[in-house]
């Protein structure tokens, strides 16, 4: 393949005006932008999340959030519309704020603010706050305002969480204390209503039941014996007409009286009637005689006409009636005891349930009290700033030189880009041009070999018009384009804001 350099050079020279126009347009725009773009200053501050100064084994802090999570939360609260508007208006961050809407101010503040958080295993958690603007004192002031808000938010968050924790456990302790009082009242009320059937008195009531059963058996035995004696006495009287064996029917006082009389007969054989022992024994006999007489004789006058059989039967009936009354009382007492003993297992279950609930609430109360004390200690840790906190490692200072734009790079890049675009335009035009311009094109297109070729010759007027148009376009490119850029920058919107908006619309993060 033979490369015809002279032909391509001739083509380039023939289309040189395209190259110059494109080169001039791009270069002029780049140079104008390089000189018109405002300087951008950058200020930054570095913050560090410090660990708690009090060992967790001694006093666990109340606020135990992940450091990175804490920074992200504070960052979201920092970049609110209210904060950004307040900072921008107070520090006059933008030159033409009077022409900017609140939404535009907030959007510009967010675009010019960069906050990065870095954390890792075994590494410190760091936040870097960066702000870029047209004035060094302004960007330093904005960053310092950010840092102030971050530190204030950190203190407020930690203190609020600690106070809320303490308040929660105070309410929990009060609630559980009330639950304990209500449960104690329920237990006391249950014990009062079931005082006769409580589990702790079951053994005593079982013993009472055994004793009453024994007494009941004795009473029933005495009743049966007295009834048998009454029947035997009646049968003996009907058979013989006499009452024998009265000794067995005697009351204990009558039998004791007989014994004392026998003892008196023995004393009289030995002592005189004036002997103290005889007198004492006689007094006892007199006392017992009065008692026995009262037992044998009915209180009414009709009793004097009763026969000895009637007297004995009346005595037995009285004893039987007293024993039956005693028996009924024992039965009633046994019924009451049986009812209380039968209710004891159910009361045991109910009381155990109440006590179990009381113990559970008591355990919750003890835990709440312990956590209340822990929360109070944690609150003091946060109030005295001894817990995990954010501190400033590197404060923002006023920058002495702008960080961008790189005017030399913009201008140089524009010149190189203009040259490249000019050459590319010429190449593109040449690739699209299918006209016959060389002898080899005739041979290729028609298959004939020309004897000679005559080039196109322009007239002087055509040359003048061509050169005038080229000069006019060059003048527009060199003077008009920068003038338009300057007018847009001054009278419509600053180039940096305009470029930022365009970049945001096409998804480029400036």
């Amino acid at each position: 393949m033979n490369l015809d350099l002279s032909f391509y050079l001739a083509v380039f020279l023939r289309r040189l005006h395209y190259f110059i126009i494109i080169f001039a347009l791009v270069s002029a725009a780049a140079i104008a932008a390089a000189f018109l773009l405002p300087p951008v200053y950058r200020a930054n501050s570095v913050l560090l999340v410090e660990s708690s100064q009090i060992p967790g084994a001694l006093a666990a802090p109340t606020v135990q959030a992940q450091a990175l999570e804490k920074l992200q939360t504070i960052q979201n609260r920092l970049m609110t519309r209210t904060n950004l508007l307040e900072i921008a208006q107070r520090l006059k961050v933008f030159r033409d704020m009077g022409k900017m809407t609140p939404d535009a101010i907030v959007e510009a503040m967010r675009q010019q603010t960069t906050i990065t958080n870095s954390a890792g295993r075994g590494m410190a958690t760091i936040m870097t706050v960066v702000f870029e603007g047209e004035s060094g004192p302004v960007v330093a002031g904005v960053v310092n305002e950010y840092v102030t808000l971050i530190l204030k938010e950190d203190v407020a968050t930690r203190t609020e969480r600690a106070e809320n924790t303490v308040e929660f456990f105070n309410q929990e302790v009060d609630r559980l204390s009330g639950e304990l009082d209500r449960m104690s009242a329920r237990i006391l009320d249950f014990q009062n209503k079931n005082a006769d059937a409580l589990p702790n008195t079951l053994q005593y009531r079982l013993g009472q039941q055994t004793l009453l059963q024994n007494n009941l058996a004795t009473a029933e035995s005495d009743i049966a014996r007295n009834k048998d004696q009454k029947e035997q006495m009646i049968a003996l009287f009907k058979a013989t007409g006499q009452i024998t064996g009265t000794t067995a029917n005697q009351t204990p006082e009558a039998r004791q009286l007989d014994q004392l009389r026998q003892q008196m007969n023995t004393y009289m054989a030995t002592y005189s009637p004036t002997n103290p022992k005889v007198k004492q024994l006689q007094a006892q006999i007199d006392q017992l005689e009065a008692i026995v007489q009262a037992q044998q004789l009915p209180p009414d006058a009709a009793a004097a006409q009763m026969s000895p059989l009637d007297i004995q039967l009346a005595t037995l009936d009285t004893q039987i009636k007293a024993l039956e009354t005693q028996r009924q009382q024992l039965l009633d007492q046994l019924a009451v005891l049986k009812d209380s003993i039968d209710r004891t297992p159910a009361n045991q279950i109910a009381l155990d349930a109440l006590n179990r609930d009381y113990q559970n609430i008591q355990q919750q109360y003890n835990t709440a009290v312990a956590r209340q004390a822990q929360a109070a200690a944690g609150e003091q840790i946060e109030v005295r700033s001894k817990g995990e906190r954010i501190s400033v490692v590197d404060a923002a200072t006023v920058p002495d030189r702008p960080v961008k734009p790189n005017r030399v790079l913009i201008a140089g890049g524009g010149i190189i880009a203009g040259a490249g675009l000019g050459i590319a335009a010429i190449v593109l035009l040449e690739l699209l041009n299918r006209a016959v311009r060389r002898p080899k094109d005739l041979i290729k297109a028609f298959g004939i070999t020309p004897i000679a070729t005559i080039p196109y010759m322009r007239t002087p007027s055509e040359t003048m018009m061509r050169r005038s148009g080229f000069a006019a376009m060059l003048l527009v490119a060199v003077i008009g384009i920068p003038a338009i850029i300057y007018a847009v920058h001054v009278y419509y919107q600053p180039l940096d804001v305009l470029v930022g908006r365009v970049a945001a619309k096409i998804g480029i993060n400036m």
Side-chain angles (χ1 to χ4, degrees):
M1 179 178 179
N2 296 324
L3 187 61
D4 192 354
L5 294 178
S6 60
F7 170 76
Y8 288 114
L9 180 59
V11 171
F12 177 76
L13 293 176
R14 187 164 55 248
R15 301 185 185 277
L16 182 62
H17 57 285
Y18 295 113
F19 173 80
I20 294 175
I21 292 173
I22 294 174
F23 174 76
L25 285 173
V26 177
S27 299
I31 294 172
F35 283 98
L36 292 177
L37 284 175
V40 176
Y41 293 85
R42 177 184 297 166
N44 68 288
S45 181
V46 180
L47 296 94
L48 173 68
V49 179
E50 294 183 351
S51 59
S52 177
Q53 301 179 19
I54 307 298
L58 297 179
T62 304
V63 182
Q64 296 181 342
Q66 294 293 332
L68 187 59
E69 177 185 352
K70 178 194 293 187
L71 293 182
Q72 291 172 348
T73 303
I74 292 177
Q75 176 181 343
N76 291 331
R77 294 182 178 178
L78 172 67
M79 302 304 293
T80 57
R81 178 187 178 90
T82 303
N83 289 339
L84 295 179
L85 279 177
E86 195 273 334
I87 293 173
Q89 292 173 355
R90 181 155 47 86
L91 298 181
K92 306 297 182 183
V93 176
F94 305 107
R95 288 179 300 176
D96 300 326
M97 287 186 56
K99 300 179 182 179
M100 299 174 65
T101 63
D103 291 338
I105 295 174
V106 172
E107 185 65 24
M109 289 289 290
R110 288 174 177 169
Q111 288 180 358
Q112 295 177 211
T113 302
T114 304
I115 299 178
T116 57
N117 301 320
S118 62
R121 187 173 183 180
M123 299 173 58
T125 303
I126 297 174
M127 170 185 278
T128 304
V129 182
V130 180
F131 186 79
E132 295 179 350
E134 299 179 9
S135 171
V138 170
V139 296
V142 171
V143 172
N144 288 328
E145 287 291 330
Y146 283 164
V147 171
T148 301
L149 289 177
I150 290 172
L151 296 179
K152 185 183 298 184
E153 181 66 26
D154 177 50
V155 173
T157 301
R158 290 187 290 105
T159 305
E160 182 181 2
R161 289 186 179 180
E163 291 175 351
N164 290 339
T165 303
V166 172
E167 182 180 1
F168 169 77
F169 281 110
N170 288 338
Q171 295 175 355
E172 190 69 7
V173 168
D174 293 340
R175 183 184 68 82
L176 292 174
S177 178
E179 289 288 337
L180 283 176
D181 294 340
R182 286 190 291 273
M183 187 57 64
S184 298
R186 287 181 59 188
I187 293 175
L188 181 60
D189 181 66
F190 181 84
Q191 290 177 341
N192 290 334
K193 291 180 178 179
N194 299 275
D196 60 334
L198 293 178
N200 55 355
T201 62
L202 178 61
Q203 294 300 324
Y204 171 77
R205 285 180 282 118
L206 290 174
Q208 287 293 105
Q209 184 184 40
T210 302
L211 179 61
L212 291 176
Q213 288 175 346
N214 293 335
N215 292 338
L216 178 62
T218 302
E220 290 177 346
S221 176
D222 291 343
I223 291 172
R225 179 170 53 80
N226 288 334
K227 288 182 177 180
D228 291 341
Q229 185 177 354
K230 178 179 178 182
E231 293 176 357
Q232 291 176 3
M233 187 178 296
I234 294 173
L236 179 62
F237 181 77
K238 289 180 179 180
T240 61
Q242 296 180 356
I243 302 176
T244 60
T246 57
T247 304
N249 298 325
Q250 290 179 344
T251 62
E253 290 80 1
R255 289 194 294 270
Q256 185 178 4
L257 179 60
D258 292 339
Q259 293 176 359
L260 291 179
R261 285 175 177 172
Q262 293 177 3
Q263 188 175 358
M264 175 62 75
N265 294 331
T266 303
Y267 280 0
M268 291 301 295
T270 306
Y271 303 105
S272 63
T274 59
N275 190 282
K277 292 183 178 181
V278 175
K279 290 182 177 181
Q280 182 180 4
L281 185 60
Q282 185 63 42
Q284 293 179 0
I285 291 173
D286 295 339
Q287 184 179 3
L288 286 175
E289 285 178 347
I291 294 174
V292 171
Q293 185 176 3
Q295 290 178 347
Q296 291 180 353
L297 296 177
D300 53 353
Q305 299 177 358
M306 295 177 62
S307 64
L309 176 62
D310 294 334
I311 295 173
Q312 293 295 330
L313 293 178
T315 301
L316 289 175
D317 290 337
T318 301
Q319 293 179 0
I320 291 172
K321 184 176 181 181
L323 289 173
E324 287 180 346
T325 303
Q326 181 183 2
R327 175 177 174 275
Q328 186 61 42
Q329 292 176 352
L330 290 174
L331 288 174
D332 295 339
Q333 294 177 6
L334 282 172
V336 172
L337 275 177
K338 183 177 182 301
D339 178 68
S340 68
I341 292 172
D342 292 340
R343 288 188 288 114
T344 299
N347 291 340
Q348 175 76 56
I349 295 174
L351 191 60
D352 288 344
L354 291 174
N355 288 326
R356 183 168 58 252
D357 293 340
Y358 181 86
Q359 293 299 326
N360 291 335
I361 298 174
Q362 181 68 52
Q363 184 177 1
Q364 295 176 12
Y365 176 80
N366 296 337
T367 303
V369 170
R371 291 180 177 176
Q372 181 188 32
Q374 183 179 355
E379 181 185 21
Q380 292 300 314
I381 290 175
E382 300 301 337
V383 169
R384 299 179 185 180
S385 298
K386 299 298 183 181
E388 184 179 81
R389 60 175 183 171
I390 298 176
S391 62
V392 180
V393 177
D394 187 11
T397 57
V398 178
D400 55 357
R401 64 174 63 88
V403 294
K404 58 182 181 180
N406 191 335
R407 304 184 190 279
V408 175
L409 179 62
I410 294 175
I415 292 173
I416 295 174
L421 288 175
I423 294 174
I426 294 174
V427 172
L428 181 61
L429 289 174
E430 184 61 25
L431 292 175
L432 295 176
N433 190 357
R434 299 298 181 182
V436 176
R437 293 172 295 175
R438 293 179 294 178
K440 62 183 301 184
D441 295 335
L442 290 173
I443 297 172
K444 182 179 180 182
F446 302 103
I448 60 175
T449 301
I451 299 174
T453 58
I454 300 174
Y456 177 79
M457 295 182 182
R458 294 186 179 88
T459 63
S461 60
E462 289 178 342
T463 302
M464 182 61 66
M465 289 181 62
R466 181 181 179 85
R467 289 177 179 178
S468 299
F470 172 73
M473 294 181 63
L474 184 62
L475 184 63
V476 171
V478 175
I479 299 176
I481 297 300
I484 294 173
I485 294 176
Y486 178 78
V488 170
H489 178 73
V490 174
Y491 298 105
Y492 176 67
Q493 201 169 52
L495 288 180
D496 55 338
V497 178
L498 187 61
V499 171
R501 285 188 173 183
V502 173
K505 287 184 178 181
I506 63 178
I508 299 177
N509 189 12
M510 298 290 292

